[in-house]
Amino acid sequence: MTSFLVRGPTRLSGHFEPAGNKNATLPIIAACLLTEEPVVLHNVPQIGDVESLLAILEDMGARVERLAPRTIRITCNGITTSNISVERATKIRASILLAGPAVARFGEVVIPPPGGDVIGRRRIDSHVRGLEGLGADYRFVDGHRFRAGTLKGAVVFLDEPSVTATENLIMAAVLAEGSTTIENAACEPHVQDLCGFLSTLGARITGIGSNILRIEGVERLNGGSYTICPDHIEVGSVMVLAAVTRSPITIGGVRPSMFKPIDLAWQRLGIDYEFLPDDRVRMSESPALMVRTDLGGAIPKIEDGPWPSFPADLTSIALVAATQADGSIMIHEKMFESRMFFVDRLIAMGARIVLCDPHRAVVVGPTALRPSTMASPDIRAGMALLIAALVADGESRIDHAEQIERGYEAIDRRLSALGADIERID
């Protein structure tokens, strides 16, 4: 178990550059199964989930070479088995992303029940129904077994705009025979990045960025080189940290196309910043946060949803920001029924939060947070607790900090470089 000892309050200075997008990196790594030629990936975040997925590929017979700290080369011409380790698969949710490329390349795969964050029910029905639509047969036999002869293009309407189901279908369809149309597709930035990566290898995909994707199957994909996009979730997280500590840092990786839904939510919380050239923002050091009410003084709401709505992965972060903003606001988590349960840790620190039900919380701020000893329940809640600890006056301890490191690369070291007082205990 890894723990962070965090001493607050803190004040940061300098520049923060985000790592590569976690949620883009994982499907892109899985997609390397689709070609026998080498693929070089740049801006790969050095995080636990990435290492877990790479280890699964290596177990299957892929060759993974670390060319530089954030550059890897993956060669999948030596795959000897489509079997996936139960122990490794249960560590991460992303193991399910191997279903599409593996059944397309090898005709059969068994995915052990995936693990990952415990934030509520995470159904795979959309994955199953979508791959069945392309001709795969599904059964649960000691895991999720997919089998197919030749996948054939089809029109598939997803019953929900699931990100990972969309990604699995994209990866399966690029080698399927004929044309595939995915309707009600997810269109998050990381889905767009996967499409961009596959296009560099020779895939034929149109409609990228929309909820209708059209894919013309090809016989084979080539190798290539690709740079993964910056992590907009990490950007949003550090923006909140800077705002609640009134730290005038600059942050890179703020691509306008990725940021509009986040910008609207941060405006509601009164977070002040200035856009700079070269995809950077400068955070303001002076104004206190103030909730911007709806017309007539009504309590506003931040609610997540499929892109281009506010990202669910920033809901926990928004909760902490709200504890430091003057006013009342409702945070509505629509996607997962257990993500909000970490608020008891914030309440113990002095936050005024009413948990209305598993999906909604009303936050009344601002409140001075007290230090506390707590455990990180998942990646995003762990980062939210780290931000809260950096605001609190005194020393806090966050246990199971390895959960945070599954999604935020060396976050203790990178924030310490900006002036945060974080001590790592392994």
PDB file of all heavy atoms in Angstrom, residues 324-360:
ATOM      1  N   GLN A 324     -15.220  25.067  -1.707  1.00  0.00           N
ATOM      2  CA  GLN A 324     -14.432  26.287  -1.508  1.00  0.00           C
ATOM      3  C   GLN A 324     -15.052  27.495  -2.201  1.00  0.00           C
ATOM      4  O   GLN A 324     -14.462  28.576  -2.214  1.00  0.00           O
ATOM      5  CB  GLN A 324     -13.006  26.067  -2.027  1.00  0.00           C
ATOM      6  CG  GLN A 324     -12.274  24.920  -1.348  1.00  0.00           C
ATOM      7  CD  GLN A 324     -12.254  25.069   0.160  1.00  0.00           C
ATOM      8  OE1 GLN A 324     -11.693  26.043   0.686  1.00  0.00           O
ATOM      9  NE2 GLN A 324     -12.860  24.132   0.880  1.00  0.00           N
ATOM     10  N   ALA A 325     -16.231  27.317  -2.784  1.00  0.00           N
ATOM     11  CA  ALA A 325     -16.899  28.414  -3.482  1.00  0.00           C
ATOM     12  C   ALA A 325     -18.028  28.972  -2.631  1.00  0.00           C
ATOM     13  O   ALA A 325     -18.740  28.223  -1.945  1.00  0.00           O
ATOM     14  CB  ALA A 325     -17.446  27.916  -4.826  1.00  0.00           C
ATOM     15  N   ASP A 326     -18.207  30.265  -2.674  1.00  0.00           N
ATOM     16  CA  ASP A 326     -19.255  30.934  -1.893  1.00  0.00           C
ATOM     17  C   ASP A 326     -20.601  30.733  -2.575  1.00  0.00           C
ATOM     18  O   ASP A 326     -20.841  31.246  -3.673  1.00  0.00           O
ATOM     19  CB  ASP A 326     -18.926  32.427  -1.790  1.00  0.00           C
ATOM     20  CG  ASP A 326     -19.865  33.168  -0.844  1.00  0.00           C
ATOM     21  OD1 ASP A 326     -20.790  32.531  -0.308  1.00  0.00           O
ATOM     22  OD2 ASP A 326     -19.667  34.376  -0.662  1.00  0.00           O
ATOM     23  N   GLY A 327     -21.485  29.969  -1.935  1.00  0.00           N
ATOM     24  CA  GLY A 327     -22.806  29.725  -2.503  1.00  0.00           C
ATOM     25  C   GLY A 327     -23.167  28.253  -2.443  1.00  0.00           C
ATOM     26  O   GLY A 327     -22.429  27.422  -1.913  1.00  0.00           O
ATOM     27  N   SER A 328     -24.326  27.947  -2.989  1.00  0.00           N
ATOM     28  CA  SER A 328     -24.831  26.570  -2.997  1.00  0.00           C
ATOM     29  C   SER A 328     -24.940  26.078  -4.439  1.00  0.00           C
ATOM     30  O   SER A 328     -25.305  26.829  -5.344  1.00  0.00           O
ATOM     31  CB  SER A 328     -26.210  26.499  -2.334  1.00  0.00           C
ATOM     32  OG  SER A 328     -26.146  26.931  -0.990  1.00  0.00           O
ATOM     33  N   ILE A 329     -24.631  24.795  -4.633  1.00  0.00           N
ATOM     34  CA  ILE A 329     -24.701  24.216  -5.969  1.00  0.00           C
ATOM     35  C   ILE A 329     -25.005  22.734  -5.838  1.00  0.00           C
ATOM     36  O   ILE A 329     -24.615  22.088  -4.850  1.00  0.00           O
ATOM     37  CB  ILE A 329     -23.387  24.449  -6.745  1.00  0.00           C
ATOM     38  CG1 ILE A 329     -23.547  24.064  -8.220  1.00  0.00           C
ATOM     39  CG2 ILE A 329     -22.221  23.695  -6.110  1.00  0.00           C
ATOM     40  CD1 ILE A 329     -22.398  24.538  -9.106  1.00  0.00           C
ATOM     41  N   MET A 330     -25.731  22.191  -6.808  1.00  0.00           N
ATOM     42  CA  MET A 330     -25.985  20.758  -6.841  1.00  0.00           C
ATOM     43  C   MET A 330     -25.042  20.098  -7.837  1.00  0.00           C
ATOM     44  O   MET A 330     -24.868  20.587  -8.956  1.00  0.00           O
ATOM     45  CB  MET A 330     -27.432  20.442  -7.237  1.00  0.00           C
ATOM     46  CG  MET A 330     -27.684  18.948  -7.427  1.00  0.00           C
ATOM     47  SD  MET A 330     -29.404  18.531  -7.809  1.00  0.00           S
ATOM     48  CE  MET A 330     -30.107  18.663  -6.163  1.00  0.00           C
ATOM     49  N   ILE A 331     -24.431  18.998  -7.421  1.00  0.00           N
ATOM     50  CA  ILE A 331     -23.616  18.178  -8.306  1.00  0.00           C
ATOM     51  C   ILE A 331     -24.409  16.912  -8.595  1.00  0.00           C
ATOM     52  O   ILE A 331     -24.773  16.166  -7.677  1.00  0.00           O
ATOM     53  CB  ILE A 331     -22.265  17.810  -7.665  1.00  0.00           C
ATOM     54  CG1 ILE A 331     -21.549  19.068  -7.141  1.00  0.00           C
ATOM     55  CG2 ILE A 331     -21.393  17.072  -8.662  1.00  0.00           C
ATOM     56  CD1 ILE A 331     -21.129  20.051  -8.200  1.00  0.00           C
ATOM     57  N   HIS A 332     -24.699  16.668  -9.863  1.00  0.00           N
ATOM     58  CA  HIS A 332     -25.536  15.538 -10.263  1.00  0.00           C
ATOM     59  C   HIS A 332     -24.706  14.553 -11.075  1.00  0.00           C
ATOM     60  O   HIS A 332     -24.334  14.832 -12.222  1.00  0.00           O
ATOM     61  CB  HIS A 332     -26.733  16.046 -11.083  1.00  0.00           C
ATOM     62  CG  HIS A 332     -27.763  14.993 -11.333  1.00  0.00           C
ATOM     63  ND1 HIS A 332     -28.951  15.262 -11.976  1.00  0.00           N
ATOM     64  CD2 HIS A 332     -27.806  13.663 -11.030  1.00  0.00           C
ATOM     65  CE1 HIS A 332     -29.670  14.154 -12.060  1.00  0.00           C
ATOM     66  NE2 HIS A 332     -28.987  13.177 -11.504  1.00  0.00           N
ATOM     67  N   GLU A 333     -24.394  13.420 -10.477  1.00  0.00           N
ATOM     68  CA  GLU A 333     -23.643  12.349 -11.126  1.00  0.00           C
ATOM     69  C   GLU A 333     -24.644  11.368 -11.737  1.00  0.00           C
ATOM     70  O   GLU A 333     -25.256  10.564 -11.039  1.00  0.00           O
ATOM     71  CB  GLU A 333     -22.737  11.663 -10.101  1.00  0.00           C
ATOM     72  CG  GLU A 333     -22.216  10.285 -10.476  1.00  0.00           C
ATOM     73  CD  GLU A 333     -21.423  10.249 -11.747  1.00  0.00           C
ATOM     74  OE1 GLU A 333     -22.051  10.218 -12.825  1.00  0.00           O
ATOM     75  OE2 GLU A 333     -20.193  10.260 -11.674  1.00  0.00           O
ATOM     76  N   LYS A 334     -24.822  11.452 -13.035  1.00  0.00           N
ATOM     77  CA  LYS A 334     -25.827  10.628 -13.708  1.00  0.00           C
ATOM     78  C   LYS A 334     -25.305   9.255 -14.125  1.00  0.00           C
ATOM     79  O   LYS A 334     -26.089   8.332 -14.357  1.00  0.00           O
ATOM     80  CB  LYS A 334     -26.329  11.340 -14.970  1.00  0.00           C
ATOM     81  CG  LYS A 334     -27.096  12.628 -14.722  1.00  0.00           C
ATOM     82  CD  LYS A 334     -27.539  13.223 -16.042  1.00  0.00           C
ATOM     83  CE  LYS A 334     -28.386  14.468 -15.854  1.00  0.00           C
ATOM     84  NZ  LYS A 334     -28.775  15.066 -17.145  1.00  0.00           N
ATOM     85  N   MET A 335     -23.991   9.113 -14.224  1.00  0.00           N
ATOM     86  CA  MET A 335     -23.433   7.944 -14.901  1.00  0.00           C
ATOM     87  C   MET A 335     -23.246   6.727 -13.994  1.00  0.00           C
ATOM     88  O   MET A 335     -23.484   5.604 -14.402  1.00  0.00           O
ATOM     89  CB  MET A 335     -22.086   8.325 -15.522  1.00  0.00           C
ATOM     90  CG  MET A 335     -22.141   9.564 -16.394  1.00  0.00           C
ATOM     91  SD  MET A 335     -22.983   9.301 -17.958  1.00  0.00           S
ATOM     92  CE  MET A 335     -21.726   8.408 -18.840  1.00  0.00           C
ATOM     93  N   PHE A 336     -22.797   6.959 -12.755  1.00  0.00           N
ATOM     94  CA  PHE A 336     -22.442   5.847 -11.878  1.00  0.00           C
ATOM     95  C   PHE A 336     -23.057   6.056 -10.499  1.00  0.00           C
ATOM     96  O   PHE A 336     -22.913   7.130  -9.908  1.00  0.00           O
ATOM     97  CB  PHE A 336     -20.921   5.713 -11.752  1.00  0.00           C
ATOM     98  CG  PHE A 336     -20.231   5.533 -13.083  1.00  0.00           C
ATOM     99  CD1 PHE A 336     -19.552   6.591 -13.665  1.00  0.00           C
ATOM    100  CD2 PHE A 336     -20.274   4.329 -13.745  1.00  0.00           C
ATOM    101  CE1 PHE A 336     -18.922   6.445 -14.893  1.00  0.00           C
ATOM    102  CE2 PHE A 336     -19.661   4.172 -14.980  1.00  0.00           C
ATOM    103  CZ  PHE A 336     -18.980   5.229 -15.549  1.00  0.00           C
ATOM    104  N   GLU A 337     -23.686   5.019  -9.967  1.00  0.00           N
ATOM    105  CA  GLU A 337     -24.446   5.186  -8.736  1.00  0.00           C
ATOM    106  C   GLU A 337     -23.610   5.118  -7.464  1.00  0.00           C
ATOM    107  O   GLU A 337     -24.139   5.347  -6.377  1.00  0.00           O
ATOM    108  CB  GLU A 337     -25.572   4.140  -8.655  1.00  0.00           C
ATOM    109  CG  GLU A 337     -25.103   2.704  -8.599  1.00  0.00           C
ATOM    110  CD  GLU A 337     -25.004   2.051  -9.969  1.00  0.00           C
ATOM    111  OE1 GLU A 337     -24.970   2.780 -10.966  1.00  0.00           O
ATOM    112  OE2 GLU A 337     -24.949   0.811 -10.030  1.00  0.00           O
ATOM    113  N   SER A 338     -22.311   4.811  -7.556  1.00  0.00           N
ATOM    114  CA  SER A 338     -21.499   4.731  -6.340  1.00  0.00           C
ATOM    115  C   SER A 338     -20.376   5.755  -6.296  1.00  0.00           C
ATOM    116  O   SER A 338     -19.635   5.812  -5.320  1.00  0.00           O
ATOM    117  CB  SER A 338     -20.911   3.317  -6.199  1.00  0.00           C
ATOM    118  OG  SER A 338     -21.928   2.354  -6.090  1.00  0.00           O
ATOM    119  N   ARG A 339     -20.234   6.558  -7.331  1.00  0.00           N
ATOM    120  CA  ARG A 339     -19.110   7.493  -7.372  1.00  0.00           C
ATOM    121  C   ARG A 339     -19.186   8.548  -6.270  1.00  0.00           C
ATOM    122  O   ARG A 339     -18.163   9.033  -5.782  1.00  0.00           O
ATOM    123  CB  ARG A 339     -19.056   8.190  -8.740  1.00  0.00           C
ATOM    124  CG  ARG A 339     -17.757   8.956  -8.945  1.00  0.00           C
ATOM    125  CD  ARG A 339     -17.803   9.819 -10.179  1.00  0.00           C
ATOM    126  NE  ARG A 339     -17.702   9.090 -11.418  1.00  0.00           N
ATOM    127  CZ  ARG A 339     -16.554   8.736 -11.984  1.00  0.00           C
ATOM    128  NH1 ARG A 339     -15.414   8.990 -11.388  1.00  0.00           N
ATOM    129  NH2 ARG A 339     -16.547   8.102 -13.135  1.00  0.00           N
ATOM    130  N   MET A 340     -20.397   8.900  -5.838  1.00  0.00           N
ATOM    131  CA  MET A 340     -20.565   9.988  -4.869  1.00  0.00           C
ATOM    132  C   MET A 340     -20.314   9.564  -3.424  1.00  0.00           C
ATOM    133  O   MET A 340     -20.276  10.406  -2.532  1.00  0.00           O
ATOM    134  CB  MET A 340     -21.986  10.551  -4.965  1.00  0.00           C
ATOM    135  CG  MET A 340     -22.371  11.061  -6.325  1.00  0.00           C
ATOM    136  SD  MET A 340     -21.632  12.650  -6.693  1.00  0.00           S
ATOM    137  CE  MET A 340     -22.879  13.731  -6.043  1.00  0.00           C
ATOM    138  N   PHE A 341     -20.143   8.271  -3.192  1.00  0.00           N
ATOM    139  CA  PHE A 341     -20.092   7.811  -1.814  1.00  0.00           C
ATOM    140  C   PHE A 341     -18.821   8.232  -1.075  1.00  0.00           C
ATOM    141  O   PHE A 341     -18.718   8.042   0.136  1.00  0.00           O
ATOM    142  CB  PHE A 341     -20.254   6.294  -1.756  1.00  0.00           C
ATOM    143  CG  PHE A 341     -21.644   5.828  -2.073  1.00  0.00           C
ATOM    144  CD1 PHE A 341     -21.894   4.514  -2.426  1.00  0.00           C
ATOM    145  CD2 PHE A 341     -22.718   6.707  -2.029  1.00  0.00           C
ATOM    146  CE1 PHE A 341     -23.187   4.085  -2.719  1.00  0.00           C
ATOM    147  CE2 PHE A 341     -24.008   6.295  -2.325  1.00  0.00           C
ATOM    148  CZ  PHE A 341     -24.240   4.976  -2.666  1.00  0.00           C
ATOM    149  N   PHE A 342     -17.857   8.809  -1.783  1.00  0.00           N
ATOM    150  CA  PHE A 342     -16.651   9.269  -1.099  1.00  0.00           C
ATOM    151  C   PHE A 342     -16.882  10.577  -0.344  1.00  0.00           C
ATOM    152  O   PHE A 342     -15.999  11.025   0.406  1.00  0.00           O
ATOM    153  CB  PHE A 342     -15.511   9.457  -2.112  1.00  0.00           C
ATOM    154  CG  PHE A 342     -15.502  10.792  -2.788  1.00  0.00           C
ATOM    155  CD1 PHE A 342     -14.603  11.779  -2.407  1.00  0.00           C
ATOM    156  CD2 PHE A 342     -16.403  11.090  -3.808  1.00  0.00           C
ATOM    157  CE1 PHE A 342     -14.596  13.020  -3.024  1.00  0.00           C
ATOM    158  CE2 PHE A 342     -16.407  12.320  -4.421  1.00  0.00           C
ATOM    159  CZ  PHE A 342     -15.499  13.291  -4.030  1.00  0.00           C
ATOM    160  N   VAL A 343     -18.046  11.201  -0.496  1.00  0.00           N
ATOM    161  CA  VAL A 343     -18.259  12.514   0.119  1.00  0.00           C
ATOM    162  C   VAL A 343     -18.226  12.450   1.639  1.00  0.00           C
ATOM    163  O   VAL A 343     -18.046  13.477   2.294  1.00  0.00           O
ATOM    164  CB  VAL A 343     -19.578  13.176  -0.346  1.00  0.00           C
ATOM    165  CG1 VAL A 343     -19.587  13.370  -1.848  1.00  0.00           C
ATOM    166  CG2 VAL A 343     -20.780  12.387   0.112  1.00  0.00           C
ATOM    167  N   ASP A 344     -18.382  11.242   2.219  1.00  0.00           N
ATOM    168  CA  ASP A 344     -18.279  11.153   3.678  1.00  0.00           C
ATOM    169  C   ASP A 344     -16.901  11.584   4.154  1.00  0.00           C
ATOM    170  O   ASP A 344     -16.761  12.145   5.243  1.00  0.00           O
ATOM    171  CB  ASP A 344     -18.603   9.741   4.164  1.00  0.00           C
ATOM    172  CG  ASP A 344     -17.658   8.685   3.603  1.00  0.00           C
ATOM    173  OD1 ASP A 344     -17.048   8.917   2.549  1.00  0.00           O
ATOM    174  OD2 ASP A 344     -17.548   7.612   4.230  1.00  0.00           O
ATOM    175  N   ARG A 345     -15.867  11.360   3.334  1.00  0.00           N
ATOM    176  CA  ARG A 345     -14.514  11.815   3.696  1.00  0.00           C
ATOM    177  C   ARG A 345     -14.453  13.338   3.721  1.00  0.00           C
ATOM    178  O   ARG A 345     -13.839  13.939   4.600  1.00  0.00           O
ATOM    179  CB  ARG A 345     -13.481  11.297   2.706  1.00  0.00           C
ATOM    180  CG  ARG A 345     -13.028   9.858   2.884  1.00  0.00           C
ATOM    181  CD  ARG A 345     -13.953   8.880   2.236  1.00  0.00           C
ATOM    182  NE  ARG A 345     -13.283   7.614   1.942  1.00  0.00           N
ATOM    183  CZ  ARG A 345     -13.902   6.574   1.418  1.00  0.00           C
ATOM    184  NH1 ARG A 345     -15.190   6.631   1.115  1.00  0.00           N
ATOM    185  NH2 ARG A 345     -13.245   5.447   1.175  1.00  0.00           N
ATOM    186  N   LEU A 346     -15.112  13.977   2.746  1.00  0.00           N
ATOM    187  CA  LEU A 346     -15.119  15.438   2.713  1.00  0.00           C
ATOM    188  C   LEU A 346     -15.920  16.009   3.878  1.00  0.00           C
ATOM    189  O   LEU A 346     -15.544  17.025   4.471  1.00  0.00           O
ATOM    190  CB  LEU A 346     -15.690  15.930   1.381  1.00  0.00           C
ATOM    191  CG  LEU A 346     -14.876  15.585   0.125  1.00  0.00           C
ATOM    192  CD1 LEU A 346     -15.606  16.060  -1.122  1.00  0.00           C
ATOM    193  CD2 LEU A 346     -13.481  16.191   0.194  1.00  0.00           C
ATOM    194  N   ILE A 347     -17.039  15.353   4.203  1.00  0.00           N
ATOM    195  CA  ILE A 347     -17.845  15.813   5.341  1.00  0.00           C
ATOM    196  C   ILE A 347     -17.035  15.716   6.628  1.00  0.00           C
ATOM    197  O   ILE A 347     -17.081  16.603   7.488  1.00  0.00           O
ATOM    198  CB  ILE A 347     -19.147  14.985   5.427  1.00  0.00           C
ATOM    199  CG1 ILE A 347     -20.033  15.301   4.222  1.00  0.00           C
ATOM    200  CG2 ILE A 347     -19.888  15.276   6.726  1.00  0.00           C
ATOM    201  CD1 ILE A 347     -21.234  14.381   4.084  1.00  0.00           C
ATOM    202  N   ALA A 348     -16.255  14.647   6.767  1.00  0.00           N
ATOM    203  CA  ALA A 348     -15.406  14.502   7.954  1.00  0.00           C
ATOM    204  C   ALA A 348     -14.356  15.601   8.030  1.00  0.00           C
ATOM    205  O   ALA A 348     -13.881  15.940   9.123  1.00  0.00           O
ATOM    206  CB  ALA A 348     -14.732  13.129   7.947  1.00  0.00           C
ATOM    207  N   MET A 349     -13.999  16.169   6.870  1.00  0.00           N
ATOM    208  CA  MET A 349     -13.026  17.259   6.844  1.00  0.00           C
ATOM    209  C   MET A 349     -13.688  18.614   7.101  1.00  0.00           C
ATOM    210  O   MET A 349     -12.996  19.634   7.150  1.00  0.00           O
ATOM    211  CB  MET A 349     -12.294  17.276   5.500  1.00  0.00           C
ATOM    212  CG  MET A 349     -11.468  16.033   5.222  1.00  0.00           C
ATOM    213  SD  MET A 349     -10.667  16.073   3.587  1.00  0.00           S
ATOM    214  CE  MET A 349      -9.326  17.226   3.902  1.00  0.00           C
ATOM    215  N   GLY A 350     -15.012  18.630   7.237  1.00  0.00           N
ATOM    216  CA  GLY A 350     -15.709  19.875   7.539  1.00  0.00           C
ATOM    217  C   GLY A 350     -16.564  20.414   6.422  1.00  0.00           C
ATOM    218  O   GLY A 350     -17.213  21.459   6.582  1.00  0.00           O
ATOM    219  N   ALA A 351     -16.597  19.717   5.276  1.00  0.00           N
ATOM    220  CA  ALA A 351     -17.402  20.192   4.153  1.00  0.00           C
ATOM    221  C   ALA A 351     -18.887  20.097   4.482  1.00  0.00           C
ATOM    222  O   ALA A 351     -19.330  19.167   5.159  1.00  0.00           O
ATOM    223  CB  ALA A 351     -17.088  19.377   2.901  1.00  0.00           C
ATOM    224  N   ARG A 352     -19.653  21.060   3.986  1.00  0.00           N
ATOM    225  CA  ARG A 352     -21.111  21.047   4.168  1.00  0.00           C
ATOM    226  C   ARG A 352     -21.740  20.494   2.896  1.00  0.00           C
ATOM    227  O   ARG A 352     -21.929  21.219   1.913  1.00  0.00           O
ATOM    228  CB  ARG A 352     -21.617  22.454   4.482  1.00  0.00           C
ATOM    229  CG  ARG A 352     -21.185  22.946   5.860  1.00  0.00           C
ATOM    230  CD  ARG A 352     -21.737  24.328   6.153  1.00  0.00           C
ATOM    231  NE  ARG A 352     -21.102  25.343   5.321  1.00  0.00           N
ATOM    232  CZ  ARG A 352     -21.460  26.623   5.310  1.00  0.00           C
ATOM    233  NH1 ARG A 352     -22.482  27.034   6.053  1.00  0.00           N
ATOM    234  NH2 ARG A 352     -20.823  27.486   4.543  1.00  0.00           N
ATOM    235  N   ILE A 353     -22.042  19.210   2.943  1.00  0.00           N
ATOM    236  CA  ILE A 353     -22.582  18.501   1.782  1.00  0.00           C
ATOM    237  C   ILE A 353     -23.777  17.675   2.233  1.00  0.00           C
ATOM    238  O   ILE A 353     -23.708  16.955   3.233  1.00  0.00           O
ATOM    239  CB  ILE A 353     -21.519  17.563   1.155  1.00  0.00           C
ATOM    240  CG1 ILE A 353     -20.270  18.345   0.750  1.00  0.00           C
ATOM    241  CG2 ILE A 353     -22.102  16.838  -0.055  1.00  0.00           C
ATOM    242  CD1 ILE A 353     -19.134  17.471   0.246  1.00  0.00           C
ATOM    243  N   VAL A 354     -24.858  17.773   1.495  1.00  0.00           N
ATOM    244  CA  VAL A 354     -26.023  16.913   1.714  1.00  0.00           C
ATOM    245  C   VAL A 354     -26.076  15.929   0.557  1.00  0.00           C
ATOM    246  O   VAL A 354     -26.265  16.330  -0.600  1.00  0.00           O
ATOM    247  CB  VAL A 354     -27.326  17.723   1.793  1.00  0.00           C
ATOM    248  CG1 VAL A 354     -28.523  16.774   1.955  1.00  0.00           C
ATOM    249  CG2 VAL A 354     -27.277  18.715   2.947  1.00  0.00           C
ATOM    250  N   LEU A 355     -25.870  14.642   0.869  1.00  0.00           N
ATOM    251  CA  LEU A 355     -25.979  13.609  -0.159  1.00  0.00           C
ATOM    252  C   LEU A 355     -27.451  13.239  -0.285  1.00  0.00           C
ATOM    253  O   LEU A 355     -28.013  12.534   0.555  1.00  0.00           O
ATOM    254  CB  LEU A 355     -25.134  12.384   0.215  1.00  0.00           C
ATOM    255  CG  LEU A 355     -25.037  11.279  -0.840  1.00  0.00           C
ATOM    256  CD1 LEU A 355     -24.417  11.811  -2.125  1.00  0.00           C
ATOM    257  CD2 LEU A 355     -24.231  10.102  -0.312  1.00  0.00           C
ATOM    258  N   CYS A 356     -28.090  13.719  -1.329  1.00  0.00           N
ATOM    259  CA  CYS A 356     -29.538  13.542  -1.497  1.00  0.00           C
ATOM    260  C   CYS A 356     -29.893  12.100  -1.825  1.00  0.00           C
ATOM    261  O   CYS A 356     -30.902  11.570  -1.350  1.00  0.00           O
ATOM    262  CB  CYS A 356     -30.057  14.462  -2.593  1.00  0.00           C
ATOM    263  SG  CYS A 356     -29.603  16.202  -2.388  1.00  0.00           S
ATOM    264  N   ASP A 357     -29.087  11.472  -2.659  1.00  0.00           N
ATOM    265  CA  ASP A 357     -29.276  10.084  -3.085  1.00  0.00           C
ATOM    266  C   ASP A 357     -27.962   9.669  -3.742  1.00  0.00           C
ATOM    267  O   ASP A 357     -27.005  10.451  -3.759  1.00  0.00           O
ATOM    268  CB  ASP A 357     -30.482   9.949  -4.027  1.00  0.00           C
ATOM    269  CG  ASP A 357     -30.406  10.870  -5.240  1.00  0.00           C
ATOM    270  OD1 ASP A 357     -29.319  10.985  -5.833  1.00  0.00           O
ATOM    271  OD2 ASP A 357     -31.436  11.478  -5.600  1.00  0.00           O
ATOM    272  N   PRO A 358     -27.862   8.447  -4.265  1.00  0.00           N
ATOM    273  CA  PRO A 358     -26.573   8.029  -4.834  1.00  0.00           C
ATOM    274  C   PRO A 358     -26.062   8.901  -5.977  1.00  0.00           C
ATOM    275  O   PRO A 358     -24.878   8.813  -6.323  1.00  0.00           O
ATOM    276  CB  PRO A 358     -26.863   6.601  -5.323  1.00  0.00           C
ATOM    277  CG  PRO A 358     -27.969   6.120  -4.470  1.00  0.00           C
ATOM    278  CD  PRO A 358     -28.822   7.329  -4.233  1.00  0.00           C
ATOM    279  N   HIS A 359     -26.923   9.735  -6.546  1.00  0.00           N
ATOM    280  CA  HIS A 359     -26.518  10.494  -7.728  1.00  0.00           C
ATOM    281  C   HIS A 359     -26.406  12.000  -7.510  1.00  0.00           C
ATOM    282  O   HIS A 359     -25.863  12.687  -8.366  1.00  0.00           O
ATOM    283  CB  HIS A 359     -27.508  10.240  -8.871  1.00  0.00           C
ATOM    284  CG  HIS A 359     -27.486   8.840  -9.388  1.00  0.00           C
ATOM    285  ND1 HIS A 359     -26.580   8.399 -10.313  1.00  0.00           N
ATOM    286  CD2 HIS A 359     -28.262   7.767  -9.086  1.00  0.00           C
ATOM    287  CE1 HIS A 359     -26.793   7.120 -10.583  1.00  0.00           C
ATOM    288  NE2 HIS A 359     -27.811   6.711  -9.845  1.00  0.00           N
ATOM    289  N   ARG A 360     -26.941  12.526  -6.404  1.00  0.00           N
ATOM    290  CA  ARG A 360     -26.995  13.976  -6.263  1.00  0.00           C
ATOM    291  C   ARG A 360     -26.494  14.422  -4.891  1.00  0.00           C
ATOM    292  O   ARG A 360     -26.797  13.807  -3.874  1.00  0.00           O
ATOM    293  CB  ARG A 360     -28.439  14.475  -6.452  1.00  0.00           C
ATOM    294  CG  ARG A 360     -29.013  14.212  -7.830  1.00  0.00           C
ATOM    295  CD  ARG A 360     -30.461  14.668  -7.901  1.00  0.00           C
ATOM    296  NE  ARG A 360     -31.273  13.990  -6.888  1.00  0.00           N
ATOM    297  CZ  ARG A 360     -32.457  14.420  -6.465  1.00  0.00           C
ATOM    298  NH1 ARG A 360     -32.948  15.542  -6.951  1.00  0.00           N
ATOM    299  NH2 ARG A 360     -33.131  13.737  -5.555  1.00  0.00           N
TER     300      ARG A 360
END
